[in-house]
Each structure stands twice: as structure tokens, then as C-alpha cells.
Amino acid sequence: MDETPDATSTESLATSGGTVEILVSLVSGKSLAMQMPFSEEAGTVKQVAAKKLGLCGEEVQLVLGEDTVSDQLKAEELSGCMLKLVVLSPGSIAASVGNRIVVASGSTLKTSSELDYGKTKRRSPYAVGWNPTNADQLAICGKNLAWIHDFATGQEQFSRAFKGQGPSNFHWSADGRRLAFLNFRDVTVCDVNLGTENVLSQRSDVFSASFHPGGSCMAVGQTDGIAICDLERGSELHFFHSDSVELVQWDSSGNLLASGDINGTLRVLTCTGEVRWNLRQCDAARQMGLQDKISSIAWSPVDSFIAFSSSWGMAVQLFDANKGELVWKTADYCPFHALSWNYNGIKVAGACQDGHVYVFDGETGELHRSLELGKAVTSLSWSVA
């Protein structure tokens, strides 16, 4: 090898008993041949190749023929093969900070664009969310108004005014066609393409909502439980009584529903309301007279993992909804307002009260990078590409 590899690969080279030659090329035609320990994993081969080809910091994958090479595959199985190194789009992270929306690269966290609404009628943007199917469209919720900014055209594609106090939050449907706005006891579902809307009136104040991935129903967290609403009929299908539910979110399969209540309990339920897991984080806090409610939950887009944080806690934690156990907990930083995964579940980002955006490894919880924005970050969203 004509360059010094990183520490991990250096240690592997020193301890391995033999090497194999692996050929790696980019789509542009640039290529290299590497001598790697035969027992080295393809994940390390990938990172070393990326660094040598000048792609340090980018997300990449190795492709053999038409198939993606597993990170766990041994180098000896790749001996003599011509592999393609494909650069994946890291997506963009949007964060609301004061009167600004800051957009940064999901890979490097370098700011790519900024929207300043301090001197416009669209003031105080406090919530953001990328369209799940269109990486150019960012929905923004501000005081008395919500709108969609299209970064490809620089224009607004949709806007909706609200009387009195604006919506407390909003959520996209999985197909990127509808937005649900929460306001007191109403959930207003808007079709952003057709310009039509439907109001789902609830039995108590609403705090959170989540479209089912199939698109036919919605879970609504409210003062006394969770309502499952039929979107076509506008009626309630089921109601699961509980403490005040401030967070709800379907997993990507639509088979499980995660909820966070005001008393700091993270629950995982089935579609019929059966409680599969009941994780109480805050027994010690309650004994001290505190209520440390769950502040954010975010399902991995590809696995049964839930990243979550609490209002008094200083870290992000990961819960495995298949095994019913905690996987990792990050180091302590600051209370987190919001969490968002990248599209393939490799990384998870957190918005902090201390003005930082932190990006963690989805497998280990180790810190990748951080971005300091100066003021508390109130909302966070990671685009699909």
C-alpha cells in the first residue's frame, strides 16, 4: 500500500498472517489495487479504499456485479475481484434555530444553505420536516403559518395559514403527499398536491400524530391515550387508554407503534393495542418529585431500533424492540429536543438545547461529528438523499 491506512487497518495489517489483492474502482474510472489481510472485513476494506481515493468523510458502499458487498464479508472472498466503490448521497440535515433554517451536509455537517426569516412575514420557524420522497422539499412550521420550501426552485410549493395560535407540530405521510397539522383537539390533514384538506376532531388535546406507512390510518397521541383514525372515513377505529401521550410513531413496517407519555414511559404496542414492551426510564426522577418525560422518539428506517431521549436526560439511547433491551447510550451532552435517522439507519442525529447538532453511529452510539449553531435547536430532520 502506498499510503498509510487508518489506525484500525494498520493494526489489522500488523496482526494478520497473509494478504490478498483487491481491486477497487470508481464510476469515474479511477481505480487502485490494495493488499489487505485475508481475514480483514469488507467494511474496513471499503473505508481504506474510500480514504485512498479521496472520499474520506463520504458514505460509500462496495458493489460486486449488481450486489452490495456485506461489511462482514472477509477479504479473502474478494481476492482478485473488481469491486466498484459507489458514493451514496449522505442527505441533508435541516435544523430550526431562532428565525433561521440551517441546512448541512449529512456527511460533513458543513452548512450548505440557510434560510433567514428574521425580516419576513414567515417568522419564528420552530419545526422542520423533509418530504419523505422529495429531498428538495422542506416543510416548515412557524407562528400562524406552515409552508413548503423547494430548494430546487427556491420557491414555496405550499402554504397554509392558521387562525390564532399555530399548530403545535406537523407530520408527513410516507408517500410525501399529505401533511398533518396538530392544533388543540384537531388534526388537519392537507393534500399538498391537490390543495384539499380534512379535519379529524379528537376527544382531547392532541400532541403527536403518525401516518401509518400504508397510508390508510393515523395514530394520534392525546391527553388520555392513543386514537387510531381511519383517514378515508375520518372516524376513530380504535382507542388505547393511557397516560397523556405526547409522542407516537409507527415503525417502517407498520406493525409496531412506539409512544412516549408524560410520565417518561416508552411503550411499544402492536396494531391492536397490545403492549409488547413498557420501558420506564424515570423511576428515580419520579421518586424525587420530577416528571422526566420522553422528549423524542425515532424508529430506525431499516431495523426494529428506537432512538429516544428524555427532557432531563443528557444522552440519546437506543432500544431494540425485537429483544426488549437497551443497545447503547451515548455520552452525556445536553437535553435533546429532536432525533432523526439518515435513510439507511447508519447514523442518527440529535438536536440539542446547547445549540449543537450531534451525529451518532447507529450501531454503537459513538459520536461522529457535531455542528454548533449558537442557539437552541428546536427541530431536526434528515432528508432521504
Side-chain angles (χ1 to χ4, degrees):
M1 298 176 67
D2 56 0
E3 294 185 31
T4 302
D6 57 22
T8 301
S9 58
T10 301
E11 181 180 353
S12 299
L13 286 166
T15 58
S16 178
T19 62
V20 294
E21 184 175 72
I22 299 176
L23 308 175
V24 180
S25 68
L26 295 174
V27 175
S28 63
K30 187 177 181 180
S31 62
L32 78 158
M34 301 190 303
Q35 294 293 326
M36 298 294 291
F38 73 90
S39 60
E40 189 63 271
E41 292 189 342
T44 299
V45 174
K46 176 177 68 177
Q47 295 304 321
V48 173
K51 185 175 182 179
K52 290 173 69 66
L53 289 169
L55 299 175
C56 186
E58 301 297 327
E59 292 187 39
V60 296
Q61 65 182 18
L62 287 174
V63 176
L64 178 59
E66 299 297 325
D67 299 323
T68 300
V69 176
S70 168
D71 282 352
Q72 286 71 47
L73 198 66
K74 298 300 182 182
E76 62 180 328
E77 299 182 59
L78 303 174
S79 177
C81 296
M82 176 57 79
L83 304 172
K84 293 181 181 178
L85 189 65
V86 180
V87 180
L88 305 174
S89 170
S92 298
I93 296 175
S96 57
V97 186
N99 288 318
R100 299 177 297 144
I101 303 298
V102 178
V103 180
S105 163
S107 176
T108 63
L109 285 189
K110 291 183 178 179
T111 301
S112 58
S113 58
E114 185 173 315
L115 303 174
D116 191 342
Y117 294 101
K119 297 181 179 180
T120 71
K121 293 182 179 180
R122 277 132 171 76
R123 294 196 174 189
S124 304
Y126 55 83
V128 294
W130 290 104
N131 186 322
T133 61
N134 188 334
D136 290 323
Q137 293 188 350
L138 181 70
I140 305 168
C141 198
K143 185 178 181 181
N144 305 330
L145 189 70
W147 64 98
I148 295 175
H149 181 87
D150 191 307
F151 283 88
T153 63
Q155 304 296 318
E156 289 183 7
Q157 301 298 314
F158 165 89
S159 66
R160 210 293 191 172
F162 296 89
K163 294 181 180 179
Q165 181 178 339
S168 59
N169 210 334
F170 72 88
H171 301 271
W172 280 100
S173 61
D175 59 9
R177 294 179 52 191
R178 292 172 289 182
L179 281 169
F181 299 99
L182 316 181
N183 200 338
F184 296 104
R185 293 194 173 190
D186 292 335
V187 179
T188 303
V189 180
C190 299
D191 189 309
V192 299
N193 296 323
L194 300 178
T196 58
E197 63 181 52
N198 182 32
V199 178
L200 305 175
S201 296
Q202 304 298 305
R203 61 177 72 194
S204 60
D205 287 350
V206 298
F207 303 110
S208 183
S210 178
F211 285 95
H212 188 275
S216 61
C217 66
M218 170 185 286
V220 181
Q222 47 195 283
T223 303
D224 52 353
I226 301 172
I228 308 297
C229 301
D230 186 308
L231 292 174
E232 293 184 5
R233 299 179 180 179
S235 59
E236 185 180 285
L237 295 173
H238 307 287
F239 192 86
F240 312 138
H241 287 278
S242 176
D243 293 328
S244 184
V245 177
E246 301 199 338
L247 299 167
V248 290
Q249 190 177 109
W250 291 103
D251 75 335
S252 59
S253 71
N255 294 322
L256 296 175
L257 180 67
S259 71
D261 66 32
I262 195 172
N263 292 318
T265 300
L266 174 67
R267 290 188 178 90
V268 179
L269 304 91
T270 66
C271 296
T272 59
E274 176 188 354
V275 178
R276 177 164 295 184
W277 306 110
N278 191 332
L279 180 65
R280 294 185 177 274
Q281 283 293 108
C282 311
D283 290 337
R286 283 199 298 274
Q287 290 172 10
M288 296 169 61
L290 304 175
Q291 286 187 325
D292 188 17
K293 64 181 181 181
I294 303 294
S295 61
S296 183
I297 55 176
W299 283 96
S300 166
V302 295
D303 292 305
S304 60
F305 298 131
I306 310 169
F308 69 98
S309 57
S310 63
S311 297
W312 290 80
M314 307 292 282
V316 177
Q317 299 186 66
L318 191 74
F319 181 73
D320 188 331
N322 273 341
K323 298 180 180 179
E325 61 186 27
L326 290 170
V327 180
W328 50 250
K329 180 179 181 181
T330 68
D332 287 347
Y333 295 95
C334 187
F336 287 82
H337 285 300
L339 302 171
S340 184
W341 290 84
N342 74 328
Y343 76 98
N344 58 8
I346 292 178
K347 299 175 184 177
V348 60
C352 247
Q353 292 181 9
D354 65 358
H356 282 82
V357 171
Y358 296 98
V359 175
F360 303 102
D361 186 292
E363 184 176 353
T364 65
E366 295 180 358
L367 179 66
H368 269 297
R369 295 179 184 273
S370 65
L371 173 65
E372 184 176 1
L373 296 174
K375 295 182 180 180
V377 182
T378 58
S379 182
L380 188 75
S381 181
W382 202 324
S383 70
V384 293

